[in-house]
Amino acid sequence: DAGSKSGRGALVVLEGLDRSGKSSQCARLLSYLEGQGCRAEGWRFPDRGTCVGQMISAYLANESQLDDRTIHLLFSANRWEKRALMESKLLGGTTLIVDRYSYSGVAFSAAKGLDIQWCKAPDVGLIAPDLVIYLDVQPEKAAERGGYGGERYEKIEFQKRVADHYHSLRDSTWKVVDGSLPMETVEEQLRELATNCIQECQEKPLTNLTW
Ligand code: FDM
Ligand code: MG
């Protein structure tokens, strides 16, 4: 039963295109872990509940216009304003299942044509995830799934560019899961990946994101 020992919690991030199934799988994974007696919380970025998050939310809803670099830095600031709480939760033994993180920050802004190194820089020093699960779904398939909700980036041509940038960000902490498989199959794979990760990182120190 992962999480019942005195070790720290794991930082598990789910990434993927819009409509790749991240939010549903985060919820399923969270309730599974809780059922196993593991202390875990579900987080998401952007966190629309803060002042910065409200600016981001208005931008995504096309209710406000912001310069590309300005909105990029707001997304990063929205993670920075949660860093201290994230650290204390993890050190206190709570696992965080996070729907989007810095990889969304870079992939979406780079898809607009911003320089990748410039996009990465403001997130250096945030807490590095122990595991990044990428739900891999073809942009065309994702678009078919009940369509998009009308937010700013929910356009297939844009999502294709985002997918290319996600691809180039993959590193050793990434596990790619085929998000087009049946929901239960994906869920099963995520359970195993997360459980192993939680066990393995209990005694490991937290590290910072360096890219
Ligand atoms: N998004 C999300 C970014 O452009 N940068 C970021 O740093 C983050 C965290 O915001 F289109 C984009 C990705 C998505 C949109 O995300 C809102 P949700 O998951 O649909 O709320
Ligand atoms: Mg969305």
Side-chain angles (χ1 to χ4, degrees):
D1 52 348
S4 65
K5 295 195 201 116
S6 59
R8 71 165 173 90
L11 180 55
V12 177
V13 169
L14 265 76
E15 287 282 3
L17 298 178
D18 284 289
R19 310 295 295 148
S20 59
K22 292 182 307 305
S23 304
S24 315
Q25 291 294 345
C26 279
R28 284 165 175 248
L29 180 58
L30 188 65
S31 64
Y32 168 75
L33 292 173
E34 285 169 344
Q36 295 296 106
C38 173
R39 225 175 329 130
E41 289 183 13
W43 283 31
R44 69 179 309 146
F45 289 107
D47 179 334
R48 302 184 191 218
T50 69
C51 291
V52 173
Q54 285 164 28
M55 292 177 70
I56 293 170
S57 193
Y59 172 82
L60 290 171
N62 292 304
E63 289 162 5
S64 70
Q65 307 307 321
L66 289 170
D67 164 77
D68 289 344
R69 289 180 180 78
T70 306
I71 184 63
H72 180 80
L73 295 173
L74 288 177
F75 274 114
S76 179
N78 187 230
R79 287 183 283 279
W80 276 104
E81 64 183 340
K82 292 285 168 183
R83 189 194 185 288
L85 183 61
M86 183 176 266
E87 181 168 19
S88 68
K89 293 272 182 190
L90 292 168
L91 293 177
T94 300
T95 285
L96 302 178
I97 307 297
V98 185
D99 186 342
R100 297 193 185 281
Y101 197 56
S102 305
Y103 313 93
S104 285
V106 174
F108 281 76
S109 290
K112 296 172 171 176
L114 295 187
D115 178 74
I116 292 170
Q117 292 309 321
W118 187 91
C119 291
K120 288 178 172 179
D123 279 25
V124 169
L126 289 173
I127 300 173
D130 296 296
L131 169 66
V132 180
I133 299 171
Y134 182 73
L135 287 187
D136 196 14
V137 174
Q138 292 304 309
E140 293 83 358
K141 277 269 172 348
E144 284 168 11
R145 293 181 164 178
Y148 295 133
E151 279 202 330
R152 191 178 282 264
Y153 301 138
E154 296 176 339
K155 309 234 163 45
I156 193 155
E157 289 310 318
F158 188 76
Q159 298 276 327
K160 284 182 185 167
R161 291 204 295 279
V162 173
D164 291 341
H165 284 290
Y166 266 132
H167 198 88
S168 67
L169 288 172
R170 292 179 187 181
D171 63 29
S172 60
T173 63
W174 284 51
K175 301 285 182 204
V176 178
V177 170
D178 183 351
S180 66
L181 294 172
M183 217 179 216
E184 292 71 22
T185 311
V186 174
E187 185 177 3
E188 192 55 47
Q189 293 185 18
L190 266 54
R191 287 177 178 187
E192 193 179 331
L193 289 169
T195 303
N196 289 341
C197 171
I198 290 166
Q199 269 158 11
E200 281 165 13
C201 70
Q202 291 198 39
E203 308 307 326
K204 284 189 199 159
L206 286 177
T207 60
N208 288 335
L209 191 59
T210 54
W211 300 101

